Amino acid sequence: MSVKSDDKTYIANTYARFPVEIVRASGSLAYDENGREYIDLGSGIAVNIFGYSDKAWIKAVTDQLNTVSHTSNLYYTLPCVTLAKILCERTGMQRVFFCNSGAEANECAIKTARRYAELKGRKNSKIITLVNSFHGRTVTTLAATGQDSFHNDFLPLTDGFLYTPANDIAAFEKLVEENDVSAVMFECVQGEGGVLPLDGDFVAGIEKIARQNDILLIVDEVQTGNGRTGKLYSYMHFGITPDIVTTAKGLGGGLPIGAAMLGERVRDVLGIGMHGSTFGGNPVCCAGAVNIINRIDDQLLDGVMRKSKLITDALSDAEGVVSVTGMGLMLGIETKKDAGEIISKCMDNGVLVIKAKNKLRLLPALNIPDGLLMQAINIIKSACAE
Ligand SMILES: Cc1ncc(COP(=O)(O)O)c(C=O)c1O
């Protein structure tokens, strides 16, 4: 059996895979079918925040597997409520809905916003998202995604979304004046869109206008969340108070979990039977997430900012590099040469890097040792300069 050729035959043809089969991995190192070692700067797309097969996380997960592996949401379980309580205590949010992915967390946020408006007699209100955003692949979260290229093959999408350009507060204000808007949803750093942080003034302006017009503030922290940008959640850099925070990816540390955290204004908007998920709040995923979230402390976050500076200092003025954007350990590197070519060169030299639009996107494990990180950065630097 050949994994690569069987994969091409039997797996739905939706992924452009790199020509590497990962057969084992530990920390920030992955090994292919030939035993070749790679420093992984993608972390399963911002998931493995403590690297592959982290020992403490494995223990938390396996202990839970040996206790209660799965039951339905018709019963109470400890890991799920423990995780919800920690998330609420650390964010000021009031309740959490658990699901299995980022798209599902955003679906919950969207349903909550619609129901919020409905309860106020505002039927058919709209949700504003940003041009160039990414919010998921379900039909509704595709509609929320402000990029036509994701829409075109799947029309008709869910109705009720309006798009406004990032960092243009006048355009946002105009849209609010002209429409009945229930919510605005955005990523503080547009990830798939090219690792582009929003301007602080724009985010503050959105919050102000949202408050004046009874518009819910939904922050999509699927990629930026769980320590990735140097704060527990990236909105914390901007001093705003969201009404809903969605997250997934790094929260589970390698098992599927999504969460929609609901603030005071929406804490009781969803009632019994209005939303649900068979696997949402699964005890094993939640036990792993409790382990992860409890380890995202000031020391780790300081390390994220320090490592971020190591990368930006090394790459900002490097030959062949046009710009470095992003926050913390979510960085985009715009290069003079084609990003795909540079990624291939890096792979040939033992470094795994992924792309966002025309940029290299660095999403290393938050605890990657400095030595390994700099070894990888030097390989990227050489590939950019060649
Ligand atoms: C900001 C953002 N929102 C939502 C999603 C969708 O998450 P998932 O793939 O877990 O459904 C992603 C995935 O990349 C994302 O980056």
Side-chain angles (χ1 to χ4, degrees):
M1 167 175 158
S2 154
V3 169
K4 287 179 193 164
S5 71
D6 282 359
D7 186 295
K8 283 197 170 65
T9 307
Y10 295 111
I11 302 284
N13 189 27
T14 62
Y15 299 108
R17 299 206 203 277
F18 291 112
V20 174
E21 179 196 343
I22 295 183
V23 295
R24 72 188 167 88
S26 169
S28 287
L29 295 173
Y31 299 85
D32 73 9
E33 68 277 26
N34 303 312
R36 175 119 209 254
E37 183 181 277
Y38 299 90
I39 304 170
D40 183 359
L41 299 186
S43 306
I45 318 189
V47 168
N48 302 328
I49 62 175
F50 290 105
Y52 288 96
S53 306
D54 172 77
K55 294 281 181 290
W57 173 79
I58 289 178
K59 182 170 182 335
V61 167
T62 47
D63 283 353
Q64 185 57 43
L65 270 170
N66 285 310
T67 312
V68 181
S69 54
H70 178 77
T71 183
S72 72
N73 277 308
L74 301 176
Y75 306 100
Y76 294 98
T77 53
L78 179 64
C80 158
V81 69
T82 305
L83 179 60
K85 193 170 173 204
I86 296 169
L87 288 171
C88 288
E89 284 171 357
R90 293 191 64 178
T91 60
M93 295 286 126
Q94 309 238 323
R95 290 188 191 273
V96 184
F97 177 83
F98 288 116
C99 50
N100 315 286
S101 67
E104 285 178 61
N106 287 336
E107 286 274 349
C108 177
I110 292 162
K111 279 179 76 172
T112 304
R114 286 189 168 191
R115 167 91 177 135
Y116 176 81
E118 183 88 20
L119 282 171
K120 299 203 161 190
R122 292 160 55 191
K123 279 197 183 301
N124 291 316
S125 61
K126 309 284 190 233
I127 295 177
I128 297 180
T129 63
L130 301 186
V131 173
N132 197 43
S133 56
F134 184 82
H135 296 295
R137 303 261 188 182
T138 61
V139 171
T140 297
T141 55
L142 273 184
T145 293
Q147 302 188 54
D148 286 344
S149 57
F150 285 98
H151 295 176
N152 295 336
D153 295 324
F154 303 103
L155 301 174
L157 299 178
T158 307
D159 218 358
F161 290 92
L162 301 169
Y163 313 100
T164 195
N167 301 325
D168 182 346
I169 199 66
F172 176 71
E173 195 159 22
K174 186 159 181 286
L175 220 45
V176 168
E177 275 166 20
E178 290 171 356
N179 297 277
D180 179 5
V181 177
S182 60
V184 52
M185 175 157 82
F186 57 89
E187 308 147 85
C188 292
V189 182
Q190 294 189 330
E192 303 300 312
V195 202
L196 299 167
L198 297 182
D199 292 346
D201 287 351
F202 178 66
V203 175
I206 289 186
E207 184 182 45
K208 187 164 166 231
I209 294 167
R211 293 286 166 254
Q212 288 165 347
N213 292 276
D214 195 16
I215 293 171
L216 298 173
L217 213 57
I218 305 173
V219 183
D220 179 340
E221 297 271 3
V222 171
Q223 192 161 154
T224 49
N226 311 301
R228 175 64 45 200
T229 69
K231 295 268 188 200
L232 181 59
Y233 292 102
S234 66
Y235 75 80
M236 294 170 174
H237 288 286
F238 293 84
I240 57 170
T241 306
D243 296 298
I244 306 178
V245 177
T246 60
T247 193
K249 286 188 182 282
L251 179 62
L255 281 174
I257 185 169
M261 300 176 229
L262 308 174
E264 198 179 343
R265 289 207 286 169
V266 293
R267 72 191 292 275
D268 294 320
V269 159
L270 295 177
I272 302 280
M274 285 187 176
H275 203 39
S277 162
T278 298
F279 287 111
N282 168 275
V284 177
C285 298
C286 287
V290 166
N291 176 271
I292 297 287
I293 207 89
N294 277 339
R295 291 159 66 200
I296 305 178
D297 55 14
D298 288 345
Q299 197 186 343
L300 182 84
L301 296 173
D302 289 348
V304 169
M305 295 316 282
R306 195 179 48 73
K307 288 175 205 291
S308 176
K309 189 168 179 315
L310 289 178
I311 302 175
T312 43
D313 285 353
L315 290 180
S316 294
D317 299 321
E319 200 184 332
V321 172
V322 177
S323 66
V324 180
T325 57
M327 290 172 96
L329 288 176
M330 179 173 174
L331 294 171
I333 318 293
E334 191 181 350
T335 52
K336 288 194 179 139
K337 288 207 197 112
D338 175 62
E341 272 176 42
I342 292 174
I343 287 171
S344 292
K345 276 186 199 154
C346 289
M347 201 159 40
D348 290 344
N349 289 300
V351 175
L352 299 179
V353 186
I354 61 171
K355 239 174 127 176
K357 291 274 167 78
N358 62 337
K359 294 182 180 177
L360 312 188
R361 178 171 27 155
L362 308 189
L363 299 163
L366 307 187
N367 65 348
I368 184 171
D370 289 0
L372 269 190
L373 178 64
M374 290 323 288
Q375 202 181 318
I377 295 305
N378 285 332
I379 288 171
I380 293 177
K381 211 169 159 178
S382 307
C384 292
E386 265 176 34

